[in-house]
Amino acid sequence: MVDKDFLEYLKLAHGSFNIAILLMFFYQGWMGLLIRKRRKGGNPPYFGLIKKHRKLGPILVLLGVAGFLAGPMVVYIDNARIFEYPLHFILGICIAVSLITAYIISRKIRVGSPWRTPHFAAGIAIVCLYIVQTLIGLSMLLL
């Protein structure tokens, strides 16, 4: 059996890690919006920003999915039931699916590609879901 104090630290670590990931997704989204704004405005692309956005994206997908997987593991260690917090769990699955979807779509983006708008929509969905997930997670920790 795992010590209850240790479990509290695991829960706090899971939440802190995912808040850090949320902040990184805000940064990633901001870069994506700047890239989109330049492209829509007819300005030449800023290749340094595009390169950074492309490089950080797959890393954030892996970290986001890892953050999701850590949640059910902590809950299972605590009380051997993954569905202890069903809404939080389902939102986590939605985030993981959105992350993977955005990644798959991003691999199809080329010059003049119609995949940019679905990638943009998936990115917005990721950020919105993360915000709701964070609020639910904080309410679970604080209540």
Side-chain angles (χ1 to χ4, degrees):
M1 180 138 172
V2 179
D3 182 37
K4 284 290 184 189
D5 288 335
F6 182 68
L7 278 172
E8 293 304 315
Y9 285 118
L10 283 178
K11 291 176 185 178
L12 188 59
H14 168 69
S16 299
F17 177 80
N18 281 303
I19 287 174
I21 297 299
L22 168 66
L23 294 175
M24 286 192 276
F25 269 110
F26 277 133
Y27 177 64
Q28 180 75 346
W30 175 74
M31 284 192 297
L33 286 174
L34 289 178
I35 293 165
R36 185 177 179 88
K37 182 178 177 182
R38 284 185 71 89
R39 187 179 48 76
K40 291 270 190 183
N43 297 316
Y46 179 44
F47 290 110
L49 191 63
I50 293 170
K51 185 176 179 179
K52 190 185 264 189
H53 185 72
R54 286 180 181 169
K55 192 174 192 177
L56 186 58
I59 295 168
L60 287 179
V61 169
L62 288 174
L63 291 174
V65 171
F68 161 69
L69 293 173
M73 288 190 320
V74 170
V75 172
Y76 187 78
I77 290 169
D78 188 17
N79 43 10
R81 290 183 4 210
I82 292 177
F83 294 106
E84 183 71 20
Y85 307 103
L87 181 58
H88 195 63
F89 181 71
I90 291 168
L91 276 174
I93 290 172
C94 291
I95 290 169
V97 167
S98 296
L99 289 170
I100 294 166
T101 301
Y103 175 76
I104 291 169
I105 291 170
S106 75
R107 308 308 298 163
K108 298 178 181 194
I109 294 175
R110 301 285 182 264
V111 174
S113 173
W115 290 102
R116 284 189 171 97
T117 300
H119 180 72
F120 173 71
I124 295 294
I126 290 165
V127 170
C128 291
L129 289 169
Y130 254 109
I131 291 169
V132 173
Q133 182 77 320
T134 300
L135 294 173
I136 291 170
L138 285 173
S139 70
M140 290 174 0
L141 277 176
L142 300 175
L143 297 178

